[in-house]
Amino acid sequence: MHDLPRKIARSKVRLMLDKLSKGWGFYASVLYQMPMVVKNECNTMATDGRNIFYNEAFTEALTEPELDGVKVHEAYHRILKHHLRMGKRDPKLWNIACDYAINPIIINSGLTLPEGALIDRQFYNMSAEKIYDILQTTQGDDGDGNGNGNGNP
């Protein structure tokens, strides 16, 4: 994992410079405001709206395109203010709903997400609140069902 900081830095540069023609420079400007913090207790990556927390083993295993996609995924949580919109909702189920709302945006922008990312056509173009309501009805408040609720992109 001695090259992990370099891998993360290269992702930042790629999103800023190499991807400007696709409009991905916007994501880099958001990501520059979000420090990357090692937190191996999380299984993947997660955000509190200010920082991006990452598991070193998970991040090391990502391909460079997947790393770009997952970092943008975390930036979208901040962009869409998911951390402020949760209210009194169940955090695990809220995260799943937010992921279903974000991931099609990431894929449609031409970025890559790792296998297992939460994507379901029934939720395309829906807000996280609407998805949450649907999931709550079909899964109950405990969040059991699709996804693992641990920050999986």
Side-chain angles (χ1 to χ4, degrees):
M1 286 193 220
H2 64 281
D3 285 338
L4 187 54
R6 189 175 194 199
K7 182 178 182 178
I8 291 169
R10 281 195 315 262
S11 174
K12 192 181 287 188
V13 170
R14 261 193 319 278
L15 288 167
M16 182 58 100
L17 300 176
D18 295 347
K19 312 301 185 187
L20 283 175
S21 64
K22 295 183 179 182
W24 295 348
F26 166 73
Y27 303 137
S29 69
V30 174
L31 288 166
Y32 268 100
Q33 300 171 35
M34 299 180 76
M36 298 283 295
V37 178
V38 174
K39 187 172 183 180
N40 288 320
E41 301 83 45
C42 79
N43 293 331
T44 57
M45 283 192 191
T47 185
D48 59 2
R50 183 169 187 265
N51 301 290
I52 296 177
F53 304 103
Y54 67 97
N55 177 292
E56 292 172 298
F58 168 79
T59 305
E60 183 68 36
L62 294 173
T63 66
E64 289 189 349
E66 289 171 342
L67 177 58
D68 294 350
V70 174
K71 285 176 60 180
V72 169
H73 168 98
E74 298 305 331
Y76 254 103
H77 281 294
R78 178 180 177 149
I79 292 164
L80 296 174
K81 301 186 185 317
H82 286 156
H83 58 293
L84 300 175
R85 293 166 45 197
M86 184 172 77
K88 296 189 185 294
R89 294 178 180 90
D90 174 78
K92 182 178 174 182
L93 191 60
W94 176 247
N95 185 61
I96 292 168
C98 292
D99 287 355
Y100 275 125
I102 290 171
N103 289 341
I105 298 168
I106 304 298
I107 297 300
N108 289 336
S109 71
L111 289 161
T112 302
L113 290 172
E115 188 173 325
L118 298 178
I119 299 172
D120 189 329
R121 289 198 160 283
Q122 74 170 317
F123 300 130
Y124 278 27
N125 298 315
M126 282 189 197
S127 70
E129 288 83 358
K130 178 67 175 169
I131 296 168
Y132 181 91
D133 290 344
I134 292 168
L135 292 175
Q136 190 176 35
T137 301
T138 60
Q139 298 177 14
D141 288 330
D142 62 3
D144 288 342
N146 294 329
N148 57 19
N150 64 4
N152 213 16

